[in-house]
Amino acid sequence: MTELFIRLIRRPQGFVGVALVALVAVACLFGPALAPYAPEKIDFLGRFRAPGWQNWLGADQFGRDILSRLMVGARSTVPMALIATFVGSAAGAIIGVGSAYLGGRTDEAIMRTNDAVMAIPGLLMALLLVSTLGNGAGNAVVAIAVAFAPGMARVARSVALNVRNQDYVKAAIARGEGAGWIIFREMLPNVMAPIVIESTIRVSFAVMLFATLSFLGVGAQPPASEWGLMVADARQYMYQAPWGLIAPSVAIALTAIAFNLLGDGLRDVLNPKDER
Amino acid sequence: MSLTWLARRLMLMVYTVIVVSMLVFAITQILPADAAQSLLGENATPEMLAALRAKLGLGDPAWRQYLRWAGHVFAGDFGVSMRTSQPVGPDMLAALSRSLLLAVSSILVTLVVAVPLGVVAALRQGRLADTGVSLIAYLGVSLPEFVTATLLALLLADTLHWLPATGYVSPLEDFGSGIHHLALPVLTISVILIAHVMRMMRSETLDVLKSDYIRAARLKGLPERTVLFRHALRNALLPVVTIIALDVGYLLGGIIVIEEIFAIPGIGRALMVAITTRDLPSIQAGALIMAATYAVTNTLADMAYALLDRRIRYD
C-alpha cells in the first residue's frame, strides 16, 4: 500500500492529483474553521468588492466573502459527489459481477437491458429522478448514483468475466458455495482494482453533475454555498463582478481535474503495461 | 455486414427503445405515490385531483397504464401538454430539429479541430505540442458545460461583444444572424467533444503507427506522407466513429444545460420547462425522444463502423 502510494506520487500526474485531492479534503474537513469570514456574513459596504487584501477572491452581491463561501461550500459539493459515486459504483459492481457469475443467457439479458438503460444520458436520468423525488441535495445524490450504476456495471462485468474462469472460482463452485459467497467473497475482491480506478475518475463526473443539478436549481438549495449554486447566483452580476463567477468555476474544475489525475495515476501504477 | 447481424442490431435498438420507454414511464408516472398530487401541487382541490386521476387513469394497474400510453406513443400521439393544451408531439419534434442543428454543427466543428490536433499530438509525442494538447484536453473534460458556457459568454459576449449572449434565430430565415446566434452554444459543446476526440485520436494514431503494416509500408520505401495519410490515418479514424456516437449521449445531456443557458428553443429547454412546470406528457415525450435519438444514432454508428472496417465480421 505504502509502496503503491510512493509509486503514485513519483509520477507528475499522480503527484498533482494527490496534492489537489488533499487540498480539497482539507477544505471539506476544516473549511469552516479556516475560512476568514462567516459564509453568510453580509457587508453592504463591500458589495462586489474586487479581489484584494480584504476579500482575497472578492465579494458577491451581498458583500459576502467568496473565498469563505467556497471553503464552506466544499462540504456541500464534494462529499455529495463521493457518496453518489460510492453508492452508484457499489450497485453497478454487484450487478456487473453478478451478471458475469450467472453467465450465458441470463448474463446476455442483463447486459442488454443495462446497455438499454445507458441510452438515457446521465443528466437526463438524474433530472427525471429529481423531478419525481423532489428537489434537494439528498435526492440529487440518489439520482446521480442511479445514473452511474449502469456504466459501472458494464466495466465490472467485463473484468469479472475473466475472473469467472479462474480456478479459484471453479473450486468454490465445486465446493458447493452459494452464489452470494462466490460473488462477494471470491469474485468482487479480485475485480476491485479496475473498479476503484473507474470510480475515482467518476468522482469528477459526479462533482460536475451535482454542480450542474444545483446550477439548474434542482440540487442543493440556497442558502447553501454549493459551488454550482454560486455560479448560478453570480451569472446575473457577471459583468459587475466576474470574480464571483470565476472563483467557483475554478473550484469545480480543480476538483474535477484532481480526481481525473488521481484516477489516471492509479491506472498507470496498477496496470504498468498500458503506457499511454 | 451480414443480414443476420443487421437484423439483430435493429432488434437490439427496438429493445432499447422499449426498455427506455418503460423506465421513463415508471419514473414519471408510477414511482410517485400520487402522480396527480405531485403534478398539481399542494393547493389542488379534491375535485381537481379526482379529475386528473381519472384523466391519467391512475386507478388502473401500472402495466395497463403503461400499455395505454405506449400504444398512443406508438401511433405518434404523445398526449396534450398540461401547460399549453397543445399536442406535445409536434412541438417536441420541432424543438428536436433545432437541437439537431446545434448537435450536428458541434460535431462538424469538433471533427475539423480535434482530428488534426490529435494527429499532431501523436506525431510529436512527449514534446511541447503534445503536452499542450493533453493539458487542453484535461481542462476540457474537467469543466462542466454550464461553467464553459458562462465563461465563454463572459469573454466573447460581455467583454469582447463579438457574439450575442443568448437567443435563437432560425438559419432558414436569416442565415447570417442564425449562425451568429449559434456560434457561442456550438463553441461550448465543441470544447468538451474536442477534448474527447482529441485524446482518442492521439492514442489511436500512436497505436496504428506502432503496427506491423505501418512498418511494412515504411520498409517498402513509401514516402512518409503516403504512410501517414493512406495507411495510418484511415485506420486511426475508425474508432472516432464510435467515440462520436457515444458522445451523442453526452451531447444530449449537455444540450439540456446549453439550451437553458443560451435560451435556445430546442428539446433540452423544452424538457427543462416541462420539468419545472410539472407538465407530465411533455416530460415523458421529451425524455423518450432524446433517448430514442441516442439509440438510433448508436445503431447507425455501429452500421457505419461495420461497413468501414472490413476486418470486422459480425455473425
Side-chain angles (χ1 to χ4, degrees):
Chain A
M1 206 61 192
T2 341
E3 186 245 0
L4 196 77
F5 184 73
I6 292 171
R7 283 215 327 253
L8 179 67
I9 58 172
R10 278 229 179 106
R11 292 162 177 269
Q13 267 192 350
F15 180 76
V16 177
V18 169
L20 283 176
V21 169
L23 188 73
V24 173
V26 167
C28 288
L29 290 172
F30 309 110
L34 295 173
Y37 298 91
E40 305 303 329
K41 188 174 169 293
I42 292 174
D43 172 10
F44 276 106
L45 291 176
R47 294 182 75 216
F48 302 123
R49 188 182 279 140
W53 61 271
Q54 264 181 314
N55 304 106
W56 290 3
L57 295 179
D60 68 2
Q61 69 271 26
F62 298 116
R64 296 177 297 191
D65 182 48
I66 289 174
L67 176 64
S68 305
R69 287 180 66 71
L70 274 186
M71 291 173 77
V72 176
R75 268 190 188 187
S76 34
T77 312
V78 183
M80 297 299 172
L82 284 173
I83 296 171
T85 314
F86 181 78
V87 176
S89 301
I94 292 172
I95 296 172
V97 174
S99 180
Y101 165 74
L102 293 170
R105 281 178 184 270
T106 326
D107 175 45
E108 176 92 2
I110 294 177
M111 287 331 281
R112 290 301 179 217
T113 310
N114 190 66
D115 285 356
V117 176
M118 282 176 75
I120 304 182
L123 180 60
L124 177 59
M125 179 68 119
L127 274 173
L128 283 180
L129 282 166
V130 172
S131 78
T132 293
L133 299 172
N135 299 346
N139 289 338
V141 168
V142 174
I144 295 175
V146 173
F148 273 14
M152 211 59 214
R154 190 189 253 181
V155 174
R157 184 245 183 193
S158 71
V159 190
L161 275 184
N162 296 326
V163 175
R164 177 74 175 76
N165 292 326
Q166 298 289 323
D167 286 340
Y168 56 83
V169 175
K170 288 182 186 152
I173 296 172
R175 280 204 307 273
E177 304 284 7
W181 175 278
I182 294 171
I183 291 172
F184 285 96
R185 300 301 295 272
E186 306 283 351
M187 290 174 76
L188 259 181
N190 290 295
V191 298
M192 270 331 256
I195 289 176
V196 168
I197 296 169
E198 181 72 18
S199 316
T200 314
I201 296 176
R202 265 165 192 274
V203 173
S204 69
F205 291 115
V207 168
M208 294 195 272
L209 198 51
F210 186 73
T212 303
L213 289 176
S214 302
F215 175 83
L216 291 173
V218 299
Q221 299 295 314
S225 55
E226 199 280 331
W227 296 342
L229 213 51
M230 284 177 73
V231 175
D233 271 354
R235 271 184 76 220
Q236 307 167 41
Y237 310 102
M238 68 181 183
Y239 202 49
Q240 292 130 296
W243 45 87
L245 195 69
I246 293 169
S249 305
V250 171
I252 295 168
L254 277 182
T255 313
I257 290 176
F259 285 99
N260 254 326
L261 284 173
L262 184 65
D264 280 358
L266 278 177
R267 174 164 48 203
D268 287 351
V269 171
L270 294 173
N271 311 330
K273 277 172 292 178
D274 194 24
E275 287 287 344
R276 282 208 293 238
Chain B
M1 192 163 61
S2 67
L3 270 178
T4 22
W5 178 80
L6 194 64
R8 273 183 60 184
R9 191 65 193 77
L10 288 175
M11 265 166 59
L12 195 60
M13 185 180 88
V14 173
Y15 180 66
T16 303
V17 174
I18 291 174
V19 169
V20 165
S21 72
M22 283 178 173
L23 258 178
V24 167
F25 192 77
I27 293 173
T28 50
Q29 193 155 330
I30 308 295
L31 194 61
D34 184 354
Q37 182 81 59
S38 70
L39 287 172
L40 292 174
E42 279 159 23
N43 299 325
T45 61
E47 294 80 42
M48 286 161 71
L49 285 173
L52 184 61
R53 278 191 202 114
K55 194 175 148 204
L56 293 173
L58 291 181
D60 292 342
W63 61 269
R64 187 171 289 167
Q65 290 183 44
Y66 169 74
L67 283 184
R68 187 169 46 223
W69 175 74
H72 284 301
V73 167
F74 192 69
D77 173 18
F78 282 97
V80 172
S81 163
M82 299 166 83
R83 191 173 56 92
T84 61
S85 306
Q86 297 289 315
V88 171
D91 281 358
M92 280 291 169
L93 289 177
L96 179 68
S97 71
R98 296 182 203 110
S99 297
L100 284 181
L101 178 68
L102 186 60
V104 171
S105 323
S106 309
I107 290 176
L108 287 180
V109 171
T110 302
L111 286 178
V112 170
V113 177
V115 170
L117 279 181
V119 174
V120 168
L123 292 179
R124 310 204 163 261
Q125 190 190 5
R127 284 193 261 172
L128 194 65
D130 183 28
T131 319
V133 163
S134 303
L135 277 180
I136 296 170
Y138 247 109
L139 206 62
V141 292
S142 304
L143 286 171
E145 297 88 356
F146 73 93
V147 169
T148 325
T150 339
L151 292 180
L152 282 176
L154 179 67
L155 180 69
L156 297 175
D158 280 339
T159 312
L160 298 172
H161 300 287
W162 285 356
L163 295 168
T166 56
Y168 174 82
V169 175
S170 167
L172 292 177
E173 283 161 23
D174 181 348
F175 189 73
S177 177
I179 298 295
H180 208 142
H181 278 87
L182 265 184
L184 207 43
V186 165
L187 203 61
T188 312
I189 299 178
S190 306
V191 167
I192 297 143
L193 293 186
I194 286 173
H196 280 180
V197 176
M198 209 159 61
R199 275 173 108 168
M200 185 74 190
M201 196 65 210
R202 175 181 176 274
S203 71
E204 280 304 321
T205 312
L206 281 179
D207 275 0
V208 170
L209 285 178
K210 280 184 202 137
S211 65
D212 287 341
Y213 59 85
I214 292 297
R215 213 162 56 132
R218 283 197 176 127
L219 289 176
K220 252 191 330 194
L222 289 180
E224 190 60 27
R225 177 203 297 253
T226 318
V227 174
L228 192 61
F229 285 95
R230 299 273 309 264
H231 297 261
L233 277 189
R234 281 177 112 178
N235 290 295
L237 272 171
L238 261 181
V240 173
V241 177
T242 319
I243 277 287
I244 292 274
L246 287 176
D247 269 342
V248 169
Y250 200 77
L251 196 75
L252 288 170
I255 259 175
I256 301 176
V257 184
I258 303 283
E259 291 180 348
E260 182 71 11
I261 292 180
F262 293 113
I264 296 169
I267 194 159
R269 190 170 161 80
L271 192 73
M272 267 321 280
V273 172
I275 284 176
T276 41
T277 56
R278 298 171 174 281
D279 181 357
L280 192 61
S282 300
I283 298 178
Q284 292 167 340
L288 186 58
I289 292 176
M290 283 179 99
T293 310
Y294 179 60
V296 172
T297 324
N298 248 319
T299 310
L300 289 178
D302 270 8
M303 281 156 61
Y305 197 96
L307 274 180
L308 289 171
D309 192 344
R310 300 284 158 76
R311 284 173 306 181
I312 298 175
R313 295 252 182 271
Y314 298 98
D315 49 358

